[in-house]
């Protein structure tokens, strides 16, 4: 089955609004109609099995184009609309993309001209000139390529993760099961749709007949809190920086009442336990789902039930429904409890491979398992505790140090918004530890001396940062994920 037919399967007659927000609304009926028209136009004018770029902020333009490209039997390649021209040119050439759906603002910035660029005007013309088209499901091989999502690679060039229609269907079903989503849910969306976590929100809420509120201005926290109230949001999804900012830069969030908020989800990196505890103290009736995933797994791989946070705080949980996770040593054998190994995963959500990169594909996919590159331990009950990315481990005088352990200690200081631990060259030790700290400006007691004394009480001496740097803001990418040097 085509994944778009799967997503719309039970919603073709639905009249409620799918997209909510200050800039635009769109009903399920209007969405069905527009997707059908654009998909039909693509089939008539472009054909099938073509790679088509999509560059747009979260909007109806993005959602309709994204769904229509896949429904038409083509492959969608969503890109960050803030992409630089050299990266854009590389991806377009690498994917051999002849056509691009793109908003005029980005088209102008990249200085692009030509009929192959389908902007808002061309898109509107397609919709206005087409008669109403009946939704048409056709026989379709769900193993076919649906999308290519580019993610940072081990070199300066991004890697294209190939995801099939079956991958999207499988991961959507799994997420709906453990979050128990229904058509009564309303999700506040601040994550961009060119990011797999953001796309998972689109897929799951469309499938169950729920609504999404588009907010592209998380930097203005007041607009997010206003959305919670105005649209009676039941859910919020964020990466660590979102929760750190909400908790330590916004008294309005910590002290505010949001009676409709049922749950929040966190992925995109480890959120330190200090912030999770802070959230739970602030919002004890809101379910907090810790999750873990990768683009290579369509989005999600594991979750920790909110009911287990007391006993398993710090764990990323176990595999989501229909996904098997193991932590293995270098020989592929399961590690014993408390021993560090690599997380590997198996399930129908695991990618087809990397586009035009057989070597990287063979390194990541072995005997049906996805090797994630993430190091972790398991406890006696099989719950997984993330240690670090394989490339993040610091070696100080021959001793292995996980940056996350040190970051966990420093962010437990109430006035610290964020901490990043990185390695710097050291003639004696090989590598030394540097802490980059973002303090709340109102906490002037946080000094280099204070940090080192605080750490020396809680960490072994070789783990205490020798270098301290203070910064005003957290460095994040367009998806809100923290940017770290490897």
């Amino acid at each position: 089955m085509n994944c778009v037919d799967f997503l719309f399967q039970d919603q073709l007659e639905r009249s409620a609004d799918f997209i909510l927000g200050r800039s635009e609304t769109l009903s399920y009926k209007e969405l069905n109609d527009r997707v059908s028209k654009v998909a039909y136009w693509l089939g008539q004018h472009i054909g099938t099995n073509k790679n088509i770029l999509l560059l747009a902020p979260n909007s109806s333009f993005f959602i309709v184009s994204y769904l229509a490209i896949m429904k038409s039997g083509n492959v969608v390649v969503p890109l960050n609309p803030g992409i630089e021209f050299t990266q854009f040119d590389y991806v377009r050439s690498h994917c051999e993309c002849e056509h691009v759906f793109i908003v005029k603002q980005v088209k102008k910035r990249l200085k692009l001209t030509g009929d192959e660029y389908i902007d808002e005007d061309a898109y509107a013309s397609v919709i206005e000139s087409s008669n109403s088209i009946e939704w048409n499901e056709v026989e379709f091989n769900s193993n076919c390529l649906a999308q290519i999502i580019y993610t940072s690679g081990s070199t300066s060039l991004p890697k294209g993760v190939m995801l099939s229609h079956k991958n999207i269907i499988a991961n959507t079903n799994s997420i709906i099961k453990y979050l128990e989503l229904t058509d009564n849910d309303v999700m506040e969306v601040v994550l961009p749709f060119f990011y797999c976590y953001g796309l998972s929100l689109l897929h799951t809420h469309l499938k169950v007949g729920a609504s999404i509120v588009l907010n592209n201005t998380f930097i203005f926290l007041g607009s997010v809190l206003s959305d919670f109230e105005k649209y009676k949001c039941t859910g919020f999804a964020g990466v660590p920086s979102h929760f750190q900012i909400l908790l330590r830069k916004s008294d309005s969030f910590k002290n505010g009442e949001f009676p409709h908020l049922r749950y929040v989800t966190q992925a995109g990196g480890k959120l330190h336990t200090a912030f999770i505890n802070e959230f739970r103290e602030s919002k004890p009736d809101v379910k907090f789902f810790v999750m873990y995933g990768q683009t290579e797994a369509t989005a999600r791989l594991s979750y920790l039930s909110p009911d287990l946070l007391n006993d398993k705080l710090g764990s990323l949980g176990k595999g989501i429904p229909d996904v098997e996770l193991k932590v293995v040593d270098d020989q592929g054998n399961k590690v014993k409890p408390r021993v560090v190994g690599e997380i590997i995963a198996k399930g129908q959500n695991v990618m087809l491979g990397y586009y035009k990169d057989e070597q990287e594909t063979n390194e990541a996919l072995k005997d049906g398992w996805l090797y994630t590159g993430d190091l972790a331990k398991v406890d006696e009950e099989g719950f997984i505790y993330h240690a670090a990315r394989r490339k993040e481990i610091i070696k100080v005088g021959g001793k292995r140090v996980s940056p996350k352990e040190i970051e966990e200690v420093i962010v437990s200081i109430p006035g610290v918004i964020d901490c990043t631990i990185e390695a710097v060259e050291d003639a004696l030790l090989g590598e030394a530890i540097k802490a980059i700290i973002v303090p709340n400006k109102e906490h002037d007691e946080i000094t280099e001396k204070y940090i080192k004394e605080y750490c020396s009480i809680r960490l072994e001496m070789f783990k205490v940062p020798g270098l301290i740097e203070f910064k005003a803001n957290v460095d994040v990418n367009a998806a809100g994920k923290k940017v770290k040097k490897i």
Side-chain angles (χ1 to χ4, degrees):
M1 174 181 275
N2 185 300
C3 68
V4 180
D5 291 335
F6 160 80
L7 295 175
F8 275 101
Q9 204 169 34
D10 304 314
Q11 313 308 336
L12 292 175
E13 302 301 322
R14 190 168 181 80
S15 59
D17 286 336
F18 175 59
I19 301 175
L20 304 173
R22 289 169 173 76
S23 58
E24 59 181 338
T25 60
L26 193 69
S27 71
Y28 273 89
K29 185 177 184 305
E30 292 169 317
L31 180 61
N32 296 344
D33 185 58
R34 293 185 189 182
V35 171
S36 292
K37 288 177 177 179
V38 176
Y40 179 79
W41 180 86
L42 284 167
Q44 294 295 305
H45 292 82
I46 293 176
T48 58
N49 300 312
K50 305 285 176 52
N51 297 336
I52 301 175
L53 295 180
L54 172 57
L55 294 89
N58 290 4
S59 59
S60 64
F61 175 85
F62 180 102
I63 293 172
V64 172
S65 303
Y66 170 79
L67 295 170
I69 292 169
M70 291 191 294
K71 180 168 175 59
S72 68
N74 288 292
V75 179
V76 64
V77 187
L79 296 179
N80 177 2
I83 195 171
E84 297 177 356
F85 179 79
T86 51
Q87 287 275 41
F88 168 80
D89 197 45
Y90 167 77
V91 172
R92 180 175 59 179
S93 174
H94 187 242
C95 273
E96 302 174 86
C97 294
E98 296 180 5
H99 294 87
V100 183
F101 280 77
I102 186 169
V103 293
K104 287 186 283 188
Q105 183 180 8
V106 178
K107 181 180 170 184
K108 180 179 180 182
R109 179 176 61 81
L110 296 178
K111 299 179 181 178
L112 304 173
T113 58
D115 294 338
E116 69 270 29
Y117 299 104
I118 303 158
D119 60 19
E120 298 98 320
D121 291 341
Y123 160 87
S125 177
V126 168
I127 292 171
E128 291 169 6
S129 62
S130 301
N131 295 322
S132 184
I133 296 168
E134 185 177 349
W135 191 273
N136 182 33
E137 291 188 29
V138 295
E139 289 294 321
F140 193 84
N141 183 354
S142 60
N143 288 309
C144 287
L145 183 60
Q147 56 188 234
I148 303 171
I149 299 183
Y150 277 82
T151 184
S152 56
S154 55
T155 68
S156 59
L157 298 176
K159 296 184 293 186
V161 176
M162 297 189 294
L163 300 176
S164 70
H165 290 262
K166 180 187 286 186
N167 291 153
I168 295 169
I169 291 169
N171 210 225
T172 299
N173 277 329
S174 297
I175 296 169
I176 290 170
K177 285 179 187 176
Y178 72 80
L179 289 182
E180 299 179 342
L181 298 177
T182 73
D183 58 3
N184 293 318
D185 278 303
V186 181
M187 168 58 71
E188 172 79 353
V189 178
V190 299
L191 297 165
F193 288 143
F194 62 81
Y195 172 37
C196 68
Y197 188 5
L199 283 176
S200 72
L201 305 179
L202 171 58
H203 300 153
T204 53
H205 288 76
L206 177 55
K207 175 61 179 174
V208 299
S211 299
I212 59 174
V213 180
L214 302 184
N215 187 318
N216 297 333
T217 58
F218 179 81
I219 192 171
F220 302 110
L221 293 180
S223 69
V224 175
L225 305 188
S226 176
D227 282 351
F228 286 166
E229 296 177 357
K230 181 175 181 180
Y231 300 106
K232 300 179 180 179
C233 294
T234 63
F236 174 78
V239 296
S241 65
H242 290 132
F243 290 98
Q244 290 167 227
I245 291 168
L246 281 171
L247 290 165
R248 296 200 177 168
K249 275 199 168 184
S250 174
D251 289 339
S252 298
F253 175 75
K254 285 187 71 171
N255 301 325
E257 296 285 336
F258 307 103
H260 301 283
L261 194 61
R262 175 176 75 83
Y263 76 102
V264 299
T265 66
Q266 177 270 312
K270 180 178 173 60
L271 179 64
H272 296 298
T273 57
F275 293 105
I276 297 174
N277 284 331
E278 214 166 300
F279 182 95
R280 295 171 70 210
E281 289 170 9
S282 168
K283 303 285 179 286
D285 296 327
V286 179
K287 293 182 178 180
F288 193 104
F289 286 85
V290 174
M291 307 190 306
Y292 160 74
Q294 289 191 337
T295 305
E296 288 85 345
T298 310
R300 300 276 65 78
L301 280 170
S302 78
Y303 81 103
L304 180 67
S305 170
D307 299 335
L308 296 173
L309 276 173
N310 285 337
D311 295 332
K312 302 296 180 182
L313 187 63
S315 171
L316 52 80
K318 293 183 177 181
I320 64 174
D322 305 314
V323 169
E324 184 180 356
L325 293 184
K326 293 195 297 187
V327 179
V328 300
D329 60 22
D330 291 340
Q331 287 73 47
N333 303 312
K334 275 189 177 182
V335 298
K336 294 179 180 179
R338 313 299 170 187
V339 175
V340 175
E342 182 177 356
I343 302 172
I344 64 173
K346 178 183 283 188
Q348 291 190 346
N349 60 319
V350 171
M351 67 171 179
L352 299 176
Y354 295 112
Y355 189 69
K356 291 183 179 178
D357 199 332
E358 186 177 351
Q359 180 179 340
E360 289 273 12
T361 297
N362 291 337
E363 289 178 8
L365 299 177
K366 301 172 185 176
D367 299 322
W369 290 88
L370 169 66
Y371 281 68
T372 67
D374 282 313
L375 301 179
K377 301 176 184 179
V378 294
D379 66 13
E380 287 75 9
E381 297 174 89
F383 285 86
I384 300 172
Y385 292 77
H386 191 228
R389 289 290 293 171
R390 188 177 288 279
K391 296 169 186 173
E392 288 178 347
I393 291 294
I394 301 171
K395 291 185 179 178
V396 180
K399 297 177 179 178
R400 293 162 62 88
V401 178
S402 169
K404 298 188 186 303
E405 179 185 358
I406 306 170
E407 292 169 358
E408 189 81 60
V409 168
I410 294 176
V411 299
S412 68
I413 301 170
V416 172
I417 296 171
D418 184 65
C419 172
T420 301
I421 296 297
E422 63 181 39
V424 293
E425 288 186 13
D426 185 275
L428 180 63
L429 299 172
E431 291 182 323
I433 298 169
K434 178 180 179 180
I436 302 171
I437 297 168
V438 180
N440 185 312
K441 61 184 178 181
E442 296 178 3
H443 288 255
D444 54 11
E445 78 278 8
I446 298 176
T447 62
E448 179 176 343
K449 180 182 178 184
Y450 179 84
I451 294 292
K452 289 184 176 179
E453 289 178 350
Y454 188 90
C455 289
S456 66
I457 298 170
R458 295 161 177 83
L459 293 168
E460 296 171 88
M461 285 309 298
F462 71 89
K463 297 178 182 178
V464 175
L467 299 170
I468 308 287
E469 177 185 339
F470 292 101
K471 296 186 71 172
N473 297 296
V474 184
D475 290 330
V476 297
N477 62 20
K481 295 175 70 174
K482 187 163 69 171
V483 177
K484 297 183 72 171
K485 290 195 293 184
I486 305 293

